[in-house]
Amino acid sequence: MTQRSLLLVNPHARRGLLAQRQALQILQPLGFELIEVSAAAPQDLSDLIRRYKTEVDSVIIASGDGTINAAIEGLLETQLPLGILPVGTANNLARSLGIPSALPEACAIIARGHLRSIDLGWVNGKYFFNVAGIGISGEINRTVSKRFKRHFGVLAYAFTAMQVLLRSRPFRAKIRTPTQTYSVKTIQITICNGRYYGSGLVVAEDAQIDDQRLDLYCIEIRHWWEMLRVLPAMLRGKTAQGIHTLQGQDIEIVTRKPRPIDTDGELTTHTPASFRVLPHALRVFVPQRRD
């Protein structure tokens, strides 16, 4: 039985053209009929998915988290299942789903056809797969150049993060859930739908992309060198002095002045912000879980 798929490839991604070749080499012999379309203009992805919705059974996107995020509205509207070929810089969505970075293995996962329903995050009308951030993450994503990311990958983020951290200043925010209110002075508030964010940091040890909750991670330090003390905890999704965490389905954040919010690596909105989780919103091809 032929599986018809819309293959959207970002030619500017670090391994975009390689992913396109390998998808053709691996999936076509397995009965996939691929309609190849460029994903060079992320703002067009949802319209492309809508255009081909009656011609395909699934959508395969070869790119990083930011470009895949741009397809969310089209995927939600059509409810076509999503296949991921992770060729971006951090690939936290693929990491949260257990999809390997090796392209032949990622293609094989799509071919096996095992689907998992995952949650989406939502903030001020914008959707996100993995993470939304307020603070230094927005400045990092605004500052790091696409050319720098293309050549140096995760190291580009690490180098830019150090530069941003050296000049960062804490800001005050109020964090509200239906049952609690917190006042914080922070350099970064991270709200995760998935398990991983940044360059593979873990938001919580038990976080999953289908756990029907958001995980908030707030860093409350005064000086940049204190980051060295909290970094080991951040790598493992642990709490520590200078870190505040909470979970919930609905979270509100208010700041004294509007502050930019990045969703899946792109600046999309600003505070005040209302966050919520949309349970089991999309289906994605993933490895089968081992009990």
Side-chain angles (χ1 to χ4, degrees), residues 132-137 171 187-189 253 259-262 271 275:
I134 306 168
I136 60 174
S137 63
F171 62 93
I187 63 167
Q188 175 68 25
I189 301 174
I253 297 177
R259 301 192 68 91
I261 300 174
D262 58 283
T271 57
F275 294 85

Side-chain angles (χ1 to χ4, degrees), residues 7 9 11 14 32 42 53 62 88 103 105 117 121 133 135 156 161 163 173-174 185 191 201 215 220 222 228 252 291:
L7 175 61
V9 178
R14 301 182 72 209
F32 278 74
K53 67 179 180 180
L103 293 174
E105 294 179 34
S117 293
Q163 291 181 311
K174 283 191 176 180
K185 189 175 183 180
I191 302 92
L201 300 174
D215 287 89
E220 299 178 75
R222 296 183 180 183
L228 300 175
E252 292 187 1
D291 297 328

Side-chain angles (χ1 to χ4, degrees), residues 10-12 38-45 48 67 70:
N10 181 357
H12 304 304
S38 172
Q43 67 273 15
D44 296 335
L45 292 194
L48 287 170
T67 298

